[in-house]
Amino acid sequence: MAPTSTLPFEIEETIVDILAAEDDEDLSSVKACSLVCREFLPLCRKHIFASVVLNDRNVVSPSPTTRMLERLLSKTPEIAYYIRKLDYNIVLQDFTSPSIQGCLKRISRLQFLRVWHYSRRKLNWSTNRLRPALLHLLHLPTLTHLEVFAIDNFILSDLTPCVNLKMLDIGQSTTVAAENTFSATLPDHSIRLNEFVARIRTAMAIMKICKAQRPDRQPLIDFSSLTNITITLEKHDDIEASQELFKRCGQLTDVYISFWNPTLVWPGLADMLRPSMQTLKHIDMVIHVNDADDDPLASLPSELEDMCNNKNIIENISILVNVTTDPNDCKRGDEWGRLDTVLTRSGWPALKQISLAIEIGCCYSDDVELEVALQKLPETQFPRLSSSKSVSFEFKVTSILV
């Protein structure tokens, strides 16, 4: 490796940044570039070590392990400076490692943290031995994005110092604890999120997050400036939790809702979104149809009619209907046509695009009769949308093997 380069630093940095943007996923070109000279090394490390995934068993090629990171940072601790994103699947061996705490505490400029535990027995946040190191990462002032997945007893007050947090993702089956264990000086203000994600089976966690308070009785999280929200509804308690959440939001622009059981779980969608009706621009919905008696659109046309009767600035409505019933039982008639009627009424002054996708779960690759029948819906059930000159209507039917 040559000691120096004859190029000005700014040009070197631009070359490496462009190379990284156009490189393959493994950054093989950037890694080769790091061997050119010593001056190139920190510029390349900025990209090579920006994102670290540990112990991920779900990828085709094995990801680095915790042990590999420990060895790397023990030999070259300065590399920790470049880590901006950490996707950390905690494995059992980490709880007995004598050096993992010091390894994680070397990281000082983290922006994205994802913590999960791929095991039948979920990780207990409040009692595990790694908690001091995890709190170090969580409380870094640079952290803006946090995801916790399959975690038990995540202590909400641990979030108190995270005032720069902008995105919070509560992963599947995560539970939270509301007790207040924060004893340091309080930050000046609550956490002000821009984006919130609540995945399946997190209703109780949502309720506790909404009601959590700091010691000064201010809300732990201020949802009033939230613009993006993603939520999954499966059971009745999800409705109560979502209503508690949405009533705290008055500036939403983008909403994604997945309905896993629309016959049992269908909230007053219009009422739920009403506080943000003057700011809401994009609605994205996924409806899972699992029963032959299910109306494929559930109560959606009625809810949209309610929104239409109120002032709104909605620009885009996207609907994905996932059908897993017997193909012979899936409805193909006027249940769909009600959507055409309500979305072509006056009352949508800003509407520009409507997307309706139907995804059919098939048991056999040659089972195409339902797909062929549904492909005709634009002609039979959506004549107004199909011919509209003011609204772009996208329609698609696909089949997948299940």
Side-chain angles (χ1 to χ4, degrees):
M1 180 186 291
T4 61
S5 166
T6 58
L7 297 173
F9 176 80
E10 293 78 10
I11 294 179
E12 293 176 358
E13 186 174 33
T14 301
I15 290 173
V16 175
D17 288 347
I18 293 174
L19 189 63
E22 299 178 352
D23 208 352
D24 57 35
E25 189 174 343
D26 291 332
L27 295 175
S28 54
S29 298
V30 176
K31 291 175 182 177
C33 190
S34 69
L35 303 176
V36 172
C37 67
R38 291 194 180 95
E39 287 185 1
F40 271 47
L41 192 57
L43 299 176
C44 294
R45 281 177 170 175
K46 180 180 73 172
H47 297 285
I48 295 170
F49 298 105
S51 179
V52 175
V53 179
L54 297 178
N55 311 314
D56 190 351
R57 303 169 184 174
N58 298 324
V59 294
V60 177
S61 56
S63 73
T65 64
T66 313
R67 297 295 168 270
M68 294 169 66
L69 182 66
E70 288 180 56
R71 288 194 294 269
L72 177 66
L73 295 187
S74 66
K75 293 180 180 178
T76 49
E78 64 271 18
I79 286 177
Y81 174 85
Y82 300 102
I83 299 175
R84 298 291 182 271
K85 177 179 179 179
L86 178 61
D87 188 333
Y88 182 19
N89 173 27
I90 300 174
V91 295
L92 292 176
Q93 297 91 319
D94 294 348
F95 297 120
T96 57
S97 169
S99 57
I100 184 61
Q101 296 271 358
C103 170
L104 294 176
K105 288 181 178 180
R106 292 183 188 274
I107 300 172
S108 61
R109 300 183 69 194
L110 198 66
Q111 298 171 353
F112 176 110
L113 175 62
R114 183 173 189 251
V115 180
W116 52 299
H117 185 50
Y118 192 78
S119 173
R120 291 183 179 179
R121 185 175 181 180
K122 292 187 289 184
L123 171 71
N124 191 311
W125 177 271
S126 63
T127 59
N128 78 88
R129 297 180 181 179
L130 293 176
R131 187 170 175 235
L134 294 175
L135 287 179
H136 162 77
L137 298 175
L138 187 64
H139 294 164
L140 288 172
T142 52
L143 191 72
T144 60
H145 185 125
L146 174 65
E147 297 183 12
V148 288
F149 178 85
I151 302 293
D152 261 343
N153 292 317
F154 180 83
I155 298 177
L156 290 177
S157 62
D158 285 347
L159 292 175
T160 304
C162 305
V163 291
N164 294 321
L165 199 64
K166 297 303 178 186
M167 195 279 188
L168 177 61
D169 186 333
I170 302 298
Q172 178 177 335
S173 303
T174 295
T175 65
V176 301
E179 65 263 23
N180 196 326
T181 61
F182 186 77
S183 57
T185 303
L186 281 175
D188 292 337
H189 58 81
S190 303
I191 299 168
R192 296 166 182 167
L193 294 179
N194 292 335
E195 183 175 359
F196 181 69
V197 178
R199 304 190 186 275
I200 197 166
R201 293 191 287 277
T202 57
M204 188 60 68
I206 295 172
M207 291 291 284
K208 289 183 178 180
I209 289 171
C210 287
K211 297 178 179 180
Q213 294 183 331
R214 308 184 335 158
D216 60 1
R217 312 303 292 173
Q218 294 298 311
L220 176 66
I221 298 178
D222 180 356
F223 290 101
S224 63
S225 58
L226 196 71
T227 58
N228 292 49
I229 194 166
T230 299
I231 195 165
T232 301
L233 305 178
E234 180 190 27
K235 299 179 180 179
H236 287 294
D237 57 352
D238 294 324
I239 299 299
E240 184 181 358
S242 63
Q243 290 170 341
E244 190 69 33
L245 174 62
F246 276 90
K247 74 181 183 181
R248 289 168 162 75
C249 306
Q251 299 293 323
L252 292 175
T253 60
D254 297 77
V255 170
Y256 176 96
I257 305 178
S258 181
F259 301 95
W260 276 90
N261 196 343
T263 55
L264 294 178
V265 181
W266 192 271
L269 186 64
D271 287 338
M272 198 163 68
L273 298 178
R274 206 176 308 281
S276 294
M277 202 55 68
Q278 301 304 310
T279 59
L280 187 62
K281 293 184 177 182
H282 307 284
I283 304 177
D284 199 331
M285 290 169 284
V286 177
I287 303 172
H288 295 267
V289 180
N290 305 309
D291 191 281
D293 295 327
D294 287 356
D295 178 344
L297 295 173
S299 302
L300 181 58
S302 299
E303 296 294 335
L304 291 173
E305 185 173 15
D306 193 345
M307 294 182 204
C308 175
N309 292 331
N310 292 274
K311 292 183 64 175
N312 69 81
I313 60 168
I314 297 170
E315 297 178 359
N316 180 285
I317 298 174
S318 177
I319 305 165
L320 169 61
V321 180
N322 180 274
V323 179
T324 55
T325 63
D326 187 311
N328 295 320
D329 296 328
C330 180
K331 293 179 172 59
R332 314 172 191 194
D334 294 342
E335 295 85 4
W336 299 95
R338 291 187 297 135
L339 196 63
D340 186 71
T341 302
V342 69
L343 289 177
T344 52
R345 288 182 49 187
S346 60
W348 304 101
L351 192 59
K352 298 176 182 178
Q353 184 173 24
I354 298 168
S355 172
L356 174 60
I358 305 173
E359 188 177 81
I360 307 165
C362 299
C363 297
Y364 307 100
S365 59
D366 59 350
D367 190 4
V368 297
E369 187 270 334
L370 177 59
E371 182 177 349
V372 171
L374 292 176
Q375 290 282 11
K376 299 176 181 178
L377 287 179
E379 302 171 20
T380 61
Q381 300 297 325
F382 301 111
R384 299 180 186 87
L385 285 173
S386 298
S387 60
S388 174
K389 290 181 170 48
S390 60
V391 177
S392 172
F393 178 53
E394 296 180 2
F395 180 82
K396 180 173 65 172
V397 181
T398 56
S399 297
I400 59 171
L401 289 175
V402 292

